[in-house]
Amino acid sequence: MDVIKETFEKIKNMEIRGAGRIGRAAANALKMYALKIQHLSNEEFKNRMKKAGEVLVSARPTAVSLPNAVKFVLKGLEDEDPKVGVVKRAEEFINSSLKAIENIGKFGANRIRDGDTILTHCNSEAAISVIKTAYDEGKDIKVFCTETRPRNQGYITAKTLYDYGIDTTLIVDSAVRYFIREIDIVVVGADAITANGCLVNKIGTSQIALVANESRVPFLTAAETYKFHPKTIVGELIEIEERDPSEVVVFEGKYRGIKIRNPAFDVTPSKYIDAIITEVGLIPPQGAWYIIEKYFGWLK
């Protein structure tokens, strides 16, 4: 299970980060593992694959792209040839995930106007796709990126956009309200969308949404349909991951003994979200239930 353990560690330690990348990494790991397994009966193969899926899902408890990707791929175990089924569905998931990013960029760019200044948070492939597509369409835009403490994923976003030729400014997380008067629209990614249209995303997102709402600045989230959490439709809650306090700071000397909390995500109420940009178009938060019902029938 080397490829499974290796992928598990990379996801767990955030070497692989971002919900889309996590989902594709899990799908690819299952594909590679399936191809590696030899000389087993169909039943033994299925058991091995299910155990591998359980290992991968345990890496990060909040990003729903991970269990959704695993469940999608392992649905191939029901095929006449389970190995062929798993490999086929893994490739299908990876290709559709990449296509989703492209389509989200096209749909989301329609909400970006020439001359807009955009605020984004963390490091989201989908949000970056929206921004890059707007820029490719010739729109004169500027972007503000938050640092996104404690792991500073915003640095990655800022460099990506700057290298692309976009006017980019990096700000500390706590400066959002100070700069909001310069912002025309907020575009962030998503780790999960609940049945009632709430957004689970990198810690700090909900504060940005609150500030945007106060200042009448549109707040949009870019989310592939596989980031919608199907089990929330029957009342299951999303576990918010708390990570090692050492990611924040390591206290020594006179500061030793002070407690540190490090939640990785927070929840933004649907009332602060103007639209969810998906690969099938923009929907209001109230449309989340429809997406789950339409695209996750195979989970029932």
Side-chain angles (χ1 to χ4, degrees), residues 86-106:
V86 165
V87 171
K88 179 181 177 182
R89 288 184 72 87
E91 292 173 347
E92 182 182 342
F93 181 88
I94 293 168
N95 292 333
S96 64
S97 172
L98 294 172
K99 184 64 177 177
I101 295 294
E102 180 183 342
N103 287 339
I104 284 172
K106 292 176 182 176

Side-chain angles (χ1 to χ4, degrees), residues 68 100 104 223-229 278-280 291 295-296:
N68 280 353
I104 284 172
E224 303 92 314
T225 51
Y226 60 77
K227 292 179 182 176
F228 287 70
H229 202 305
T278 77
E279 70 270 26
V280 295
I291 293 291
Y295 291 95
F296 290 93

